[in-house]
Amino acid sequence: MRITAFVDNSATVHQVAVDTDGSRQSLGVPPKASGPGSGVNGGEFLMLALATCYCNDLYREARRLGIPLDAVQVEASADFPGVGLAATDIRYRASVRSSAAQDDIARLLAETDAVAEVHNTLRAGCAVTFEQR
């Protein structure tokens, strides 16, 4: 699966979209109110990526394990200490509403943490390559 994100920003346009294997979706992200750029910054999107990944993966893994889920809540946070510096103290927490036994829920939460792709990408570290257009 190939995922690509797009931002097109100028004085008159702010468009954001994502594409997964040729399926493109526009996202409603506002322009920055105080000047050029996006109204949502990359750190915010990174935390949203963690929260969204774990949320979606919880539903996927619950289906695989036969655990019913009524609701999922995920919160991700990090400290960004300054310009050009990597995030620190990246954490997330989640809770689910389910009729399943507590042991099953604990297993679901742990197994999902082990397979969450965005989390594992950050945990492993990876090269990021700039390609000038």
Side-chain angles (χ1 to χ4, degrees):
M1 167 184 348
R2 183 73 174 177
I3 298 173
T4 306
F6 304 91
V7 176
D8 182 2
N9 180 266
S10 69
T12 59
V13 171
H14 185 70
Q15 296 176 337
V16 178
V18 293
D19 183 291
T20 301
D21 286 338
S23 178
R24 191 167 177 152
Q25 304 180 70
S26 294
L27 302 177
V29 177
K32 186 181 267 186
S34 61
S38 179
V40 180
N41 69 46
E44 292 165 333
F45 274 121
L46 181 59
M47 293 306 100
L48 183 59
L50 286 167
T52 301
C53 177
Y54 194 71
C55 174
N56 290 348
D57 288 0
L58 276 170
Y59 284 109
R60 179 189 70 205
E61 295 304 307
R63 226 176 6 264
R64 180 181 65 80
L65 296 169
I67 297 173
L69 288 183
D70 298 321
V72 170
Q73 295 166 333
V74 184
E75 174 185 312
S77 63
D79 293 326
F80 287 84
V83 173
L85 300 176
T88 61
D89 196 27
I90 300 172
R91 300 172 177 268
Y92 78 102
R93 61 178 59 110
S95 61
V96 299
R97 193 168 64 236
S98 173
S99 59
Q102 287 302 310
D103 286 349
D104 290 337
I105 292 171
R107 177 180 171 213
L108 170 64
L109 293 169
E111 287 191 22
T112 303
D113 177 67
V115 299
E117 294 84 1
V118 172
H119 302 67
N120 287 338
T121 299
L122 291 176
R123 288 172 178 143
C126 64
V128 178
T129 304
F130 172 71
E131 297 175 346
Q132 189 168 350
R133 288 177 131 190

